[in-house]
Amino acid sequence: RSSWLLLAPLLTPPVPVITAPPCSLCPEGAHRFQWIRNLVPEFGISSSHVKVLSSPAEFYELLKVQIKAAKQRVVMASLYLGTGLLEQELVDCLEETLEKSLQAKGSPDLRVSILLDYTRGSRGRKNSRTMLIPLLQRFPEKVRVSLFHTPNLRGLLRLLIPERFNETIGLQHIKVYLFDDNVILSGANLSDLYFTNRQDRYVLLQDSPEIADFFTELVDAIGDVSLQLQRDDTVQMMEGMVHPYQGDKVAYCEIANQRVMEVINSARTRQELLHAKTFHSSHPGSSLLSQQGSQASGDLKPEPDTWIYPLIQMKPFGIQIDEMVTETLLTEAERDARIYLTTGYFNLTQTYMDLILGTRAEYRILLASPEVNGFFGAKGVAGAIPAAYVYIEHQFYSEVCYLQQQERVQLQEYSRAGWTFHAKGLWLYLAGSNLPCLTLIGSPNFGYRSVHRDLEAQVAIVTENKALQQQLHQEQEQLYLCSGVVSTSTFEQPNRYVKLWVKLVTPLIKNFF
């Protein structure tokens, strides 16, 4: 109880930042989601460069293969790195690849950059830091480990909140795994559960140098405002940088905002110049000139049929692009369009819930049943979190029933023996279409923490290619096949009983998990 009371100073919701909404969906041009490039860079690629993965084992094997093949850069951003044998094998792969790079003559200089969360990565005696220190000690010039510390955890709050509970204030939650010009976007962390029996989503963008450059620069920017792990397990800030919890909070957040927005805006400018020469130009012949230039350089690329938009959400720094895009997608979805939305932790923001209940599209929302919730069976207060999610789910379902929207808004619970569920994202099917033309994939859970507290990133993938649309459709179907539809009787089951104290505490604490 005392631990929750320590959070009292943060229970007041922050003052909302008023921003101009992006323009609404428009059918003109290459595709109807072009408005997103008013906010972020637009990367046009061939659908043949996109591969959707389906299992934790496939994800893990791909990580190892990509690490071993890397020649120039390995960039990995995650909440944390686990401490088991599978995680050690990943570290061993990194060591082996770095050793090869040292021995190879005339080859590019391999650099490894790892970004984790400070509080989660420092939990316990054996932790992410102790796993990575041997790499820092052996390859000090080639390896960088950055530990992001939220500026909101400071002063008396930082001294009083115990380990684990301090992670509720804010985290580095981005999951990007990048090897040379190949990028894996996922919601999965670098931990054995996510390599074996914790279901998530994963997409590989192959041979995509512009996208790889963007995420490298993004991770570098966050790394620059993070604590740098040293070979003796101490941490220090880069010279001249404001400290996240010892320095001035406003100054720190302003610098972080400038660093991240510089990455977004410079990439957007580069891509706009590229578009001006190619498929977005309204000037006749410009596409031909571009192709002639490409032919001269011996590198004629196919015209893009798939577009990647990186969506960044860092409310502590005043950056809320992902929130704006998600709200617009939910607002503008037409009647008879279908949105499949999935989250490992059903705790949608009030705005997202209002939009789902008040708009015209059909919704199929997939969430974890209590038994596959990541907190199921946890010790102490955390063990009550699945019950809190059941309570939030029941409240939302009751609202759906009250508004008589059961046909339009359907809840489904993922259930799979021996597994936990962590998949998040959405698939958008336009009216009359059996295949999705857009998906969101990455780290956000659509909850209060994702929107207000943590650092998040995902991508919107828009595609006109039927084969890729089929891949995305199969991914959605595979996840939803392991689910049952929620009804009134669901909440009458004995295992759905929620204790009174959980019901009373949930409204106070739901913004922290």
Side-chain angles (χ1 to χ4, degrees), residues 149-155 225 237 240-258 316-317:
H149 191 295
T150 177
N152 292 328
L153 183 63
R154 55 176 49 232
V225 299
M237 290 300 291
M241 191 62 66
V242 178
H243 199 283
Y245 62 85
Q246 293 175 353
D248 181 77
K249 181 179 175 182
V250 173
Y252 173 81
C253 291
E254 283 179 355
I255 290 171
N257 175 286
Q258 290 168 9
F317 305 156

Side-chain angles (χ1 to χ4, degrees), residues 32-281:
R32 62 188 296 150
F33 303 101
Q34 270 191 331
W35 57 268
I36 305 177
R37 68 187 173 105
N38 294 335
L39 299 169
V40 296
E42 175 186 69
F43 300 99
I45 64 172
S46 168
S47 56
S48 61
H49 291 189
V50 184
K51 183 182 180 185
V52 180
L53 312 181
S54 60
S55 73
E58 192 179 5
F59 170 59
Y60 180 61
E61 291 305 318
L62 181 62
L63 286 176
K64 290 193 293 182
V65 167
Q66 290 291 320
I67 289 172
K68 289 176 181 178
K71 296 289 190 292
Q72 296 169 303
R73 59 184 168 188
V74 172
V75 179
M76 300 200 289
S78 187
L79 174 60
Y80 69 105
L81 171 70
T83 58
L85 294 176
L86 295 180
E87 297 92 318
Q88 185 59 56
E89 194 173 338
L90 279 185
V91 175
D92 292 344
C93 286
L94 285 168
E95 184 178 7
E96 180 184 326
T97 304
L98 284 161
E99 185 62 45
K100 282 183 182 175
S101 177
L102 274 181
Q103 294 173 354
K105 292 182 179 178
S107 65
D109 198 19
L110 177 69
R111 301 285 171 175
V112 174
S113 177
I114 299 172
L115 171 67
L116 305 172
D117 181 73
Y118 176 89
T119 52
R120 183 63 183 86
S122 304
R123 187 201 287 182
R125 285 189 177 180
K126 189 178 182 183
N127 52 42
S128 306
R129 292 161 65 164
T130 58
M131 291 288 287
L132 292 169
I133 282 171
L135 288 183
L136 280 172
Q137 291 173 336
R138 188 164 179 203
F139 307 99
E141 303 300 319
K142 291 177 171 287
V143 178
R144 180 191 192 189
V145 179
S146 305
L147 301 168
F148 174 79
H149 191 295
T150 177
N152 292 328
L153 183 63
R154 55 176 49 232
L156 196 60
L157 197 67
R158 188 175 189 274
L159 291 173
L160 294 177
I161 298 187
E163 199 174 75
R164 291 178 183 260
F165 289 99
N166 59 9
E167 297 166 26
T168 63
I169 308 305
L171 296 166
Q172 191 309 107
H173 201 244
I174 296 168
K175 291 85 188 274
V176 175
Y177 308 109
L178 188 158
F179 314 92
D180 292 343
D181 292 336
N182 300 326
V183 184
I184 303 171
L185 274 302
S186 180
N189 292 304
L190 295 172
S191 172
D192 54 4
L193 290 173
Y194 296 89
F195 304 150
T196 52
N197 62 347
R198 190 157 171 74
Q199 183 63 58
D200 216 299
R201 297 180 65 207
Y202 335 83
V203 64
L204 169 64
L205 307 176
Q206 297 171 294
D207 190 22
S208 302
E210 293 91 354
I211 301 173
D213 288 347
F214 172 85
F215 280 107
T216 298
E217 290 169 18
L218 179 68
V219 172
D220 281 347
I222 303 166
D224 287 347
V225 299
S226 299
L227 294 156
Q228 306 300 305
L229 183 64
Q230 305 299 306
R231 285 176 280 179
D232 60 356
D233 199 19
T234 60
V235 293
Q236 63 183 45
M237 290 300 291
M238 287 176 57
E239 191 174 345
M241 191 62 66
V242 178
H243 199 283
Y245 62 85
Q246 293 175 353
D248 181 77
K249 181 179 175 182
V250 173
Y252 173 81
C253 291
E254 283 179 355
I255 290 171
N257 175 286
Q258 290 168 9
R259 289 288 178 110
V260 174
M261 289 308 300
E262 186 181 336
V263 171
I264 294 169
N265 291 331
S266 62
R268 190 165 158 251
T269 301
R270 287 197 303 268
Q271 292 306 112
E272 282 177 352
L273 288 171
L274 181 65
H275 298 324
K277 298 175 183 176
T278 55
F279 55 92
H280 285 302
S281 176

Side-chain angles (χ1 to χ4, degrees), residues 323 327 330 348-357 452:
E323 178 186 7
E327 286 182 8
L330 299 182
L348 304 181
T349 66
Q350 191 61 50
T351 301
Y352 290 162
M353 285 195 286
D354 290 344
L355 285 172
I356 290 169
L357 293 172
H452 293 282

